[in-house]
Amino acid sequence: MSDPQPGRTREDQWPLVAVSGLLSFVAMLDMNIVNVALADIADGLHVSAASAQWAVLGYQLPVVALLLPVGRWLDGVGLRPALLTATTGFALFSALAAAAPSAGWLIAARFVQGACGAVLFVLMPVLAIRSVRPQLRARAMSVPATLGPLGAVTGPAVGGLLLDHWGWQAIFLVKIPFCVLALVVAWRALPRDGGLTAPDRRSLTDAALVATGVTLLLLSLTLGAWWLAPAALPPLWMWLRGPGARPLIGVLHVPGLLRAHSAVLALAAGFAAMHYVVALHLQREDGASATTTGLTVLAFPLGMGLAGPLGGRLADRYGPRPVALTGAALTAAGLLLLVPLGDGWSPPDVAWRLALAGVGMGLNGGPTQALVMGAAPPHRTATAGSAVQLARTLGFTLGPALATAAFGLAGSEANDARAALALAATAACLAVPLLSAPREGRR
């Protein structure tokens, strides 16, 4: 996916940066918003709860499984047609999901919507970085890097509100106006830069291998079916040995990029584990109401949303690495401060610690993404973006699985929560040395 006008100075397109943030929010919102409606979907379509669960997995699996193959494909096609096609497909199949008369219809629509979502996940950082001058890169990258995770965090709250007033169909329809707005802006502002080409047979084989491996890995984490994890190794190994993995391997061989991707995964896992444990403990052990729990947990996205734009500005002025490192340290500090809380958790005590961690995540997101995208080869920006998104998504999935595994290790409910929070804090702490300057940089 090459720049249509290389070497030419052009005006900054901040409306396109806003589109990248809006679509990132919508795509991540869809990862969690349907969870709250599963019981209503099961009743409305007259299916079991296990069948209704595929309304969530039907979206999540293709999103995660196709990120890497989509990244490789997008490096060779035009940005404009890819964005318009994926956004149109996302909106269309959202409408078809809302109109589903049966579970089979709903799951099929969600699978296609997930494939479109995978394209959007990869395209959004590319769109942000292409829309502004290099001097403003981190500021632009902070928009999708902040709004995307905010979509994941606010999904259950937004879904609950829609479910109470308009039914489960509204959960799918609410995203369509945002997609239409994004289409109008992108149609007018994006220059024509080529067309779409179908992947060749070898690319389809590589896509099938990596999608199979990643799907088995995700199912093992999501469903707790750990016996599936070894089954993911053969297809992933075959893919790594073939030509399909060479673009990704080339990107990860750039000094510091493998560490940056690992830091993204570690921070996402720490955040997801913390979010899962705090909400569960406040309601089950401290007897907090759902409203109190929601307002307490809201401190994290509030801190993140306020710090996100600041992180981009600071990174453009002082460089992305020190700002990303500072953000990771603040996130780790906020999670570490949660560990020594006693049996009785006070919502204000929890909230300010979550706000501190949220500020750190806000400072970290855009600069880390700018660090990766700026260091990647120009003709591999989509591949680099897909790898970051995969690391973040796997972290979001891995975090609750690790927290669940930590429960029961210490012999009491309070100690179980403390052990899970310690695990979350440890994951976040790992991101700090991973984001420090590599040896090549120090020399």
Side-chain angles (χ1 to χ4, degrees):
M1 189 178 293
S2 59
D3 194 327
Q5 295 175 317
R8 179 177 173 183
T9 302
R10 51 185 171 79
E11 293 183 359
D12 300 319
Q13 295 284 345
W14 288 104
L16 291 178
V17 176
V19 166
S20 73
L22 178 65
L23 290 178
S24 295
F25 180 87
V26 168
M28 282 298 290
L29 182 75
D30 223 345
M31 295 289 280
N32 288 331
I33 192 173
V34 182
N35 287 322
V36 298
L38 292 181
D40 290 73
I41 290 174
D43 292 340
L45 298 180
H46 309 291
V47 295
S48 66
S51 297
Q53 177 70 21
W54 282 94
V56 176
L57 291 175
Y59 178 78
Q60 292 179 345
L61 290 178
V63 163
V64 181
L66 294 177
L67 283 174
L68 293 180
V70 161
R72 185 190 179 198
W73 174 64
L74 289 175
D75 277 326
V77 302
L79 176 61
R80 187 177 192 268
L83 176 62
L84 295 177
T85 302
T87 306
T88 301
F90 190 92
L92 174 62
F93 284 92
S94 291
L96 290 175
S102 65
W105 176 306
L106 175 61
I107 294 168
R110 292 290 283 167
F111 265 96
V112 182
Q113 190 185 4
C116 296
V119 178
L120 293 181
F121 273 115
V122 178
L123 280 179
M124 291 311 98
V126 178
L127 177 62
I129 204 172
R130 297 285 177 83
S131 300
V132 298
R133 293 163 289 167
Q135 301 94 311
L136 302 175
R137 178 174 290 164
R139 197 177 307 181
M141 294 298 299
S142 68
V143 176
T146 302
L147 290 180
L150 284 179
V153 173
T154 58
V158 174
L161 180 65
L162 293 171
L163 190 66
D164 289 341
H165 291 84
W166 293 286
W168 64 265
Q169 291 86 351
I171 287 177
F172 300 107
L173 295 175
V174 69
K175 295 155 286 190
I176 296 178
F178 299 104
C179 292
V180 172
L181 176 61
L183 282 170
V184 171
V185 176
W187 181 272
R188 298 181 61 181
L190 270 175
R192 297 185 181 275
D193 59 349
L196 297 177
T197 57
D200 56 28
R201 182 178 299 178
R202 181 68 223 185
S203 297
L204 291 175
T205 301
D206 290 333
L209 288 173
V210 69
T212 300
V214 173
T215 298
L216 290 172
L217 183 61
L218 185 66
L219 285 173
S220 70
L221 295 174
T222 304
L223 304 179
W226 299 103
W227 54 272
L228 281 175
L233 297 179
L236 290 176
W237 175 252
M238 292 174 63
W239 172 71
L240 286 170
R241 299 282 292 178
R246 288 173 190 166
L248 176 63
I249 293 173
V251 166
L252 296 181
H253 276 172
V254 175
L257 287 197
L258 179 59
R259 292 156 57 106
H261 285 79
S262 301
V264 169
L265 190 150
L267 278 176
F271 152 71
M274 173 276 299
H275 191 267
Y276 176 78
V277 174
V278 168
L280 193 66
H281 188 82
L282 280 173
Q283 288 189 284
R284 287 189 177 179
E285 302 307 316
D286 292 351
S289 65
T291 301
T292 300
T293 301
L295 291 175
T296 302
V297 176
L298 191 63
F300 186 95
L302 181 62
M304 186 177 180
L306 292 175
L310 176 62
R313 290 177 177 273
L314 291 175
D316 283 331
R317 183 170 183 177
Y318 300 108
R321 189 180 299 278
V323 181
L325 184 62
T326 302
L330 287 175
T331 301
L335 299 190
L336 282 170
L337 289 170
L338 285 169
V339 177
L341 287 176
D343 295 341
W345 288 13
S346 166
D349 285 341
V350 175
W352 75 260
R353 289 166 169 85
L354 294 183
L356 177 63
V359 168
M361 285 288 279
L363 291 176
N364 174 269
T368 300
Q369 192 100 39
L371 180 68
V372 171
M373 302 292 282
H379 61 292
R380 293 297 182 211
T381 53
T383 296
S386 68
V388 171
Q389 297 291 4
L390 179 62
R392 181 177 288 116
T393 306
L394 287 178
F396 286 153
T397 307
L398 183 62
L402 291 176
T404 301
F407 286 152
L409 295 179
S412 68
E413 294 291 343
N415 288 335
D416 288 348
R418 191 174 293 115
L421 287 174
L423 189 63
T426 301
C429 288
L430 289 175
V432 177
L434 289 170
L435 285 171
S436 61
R439 293 181 179 179
E440 291 81 0
R442 285 197 282 267
R443 280 199 301 265

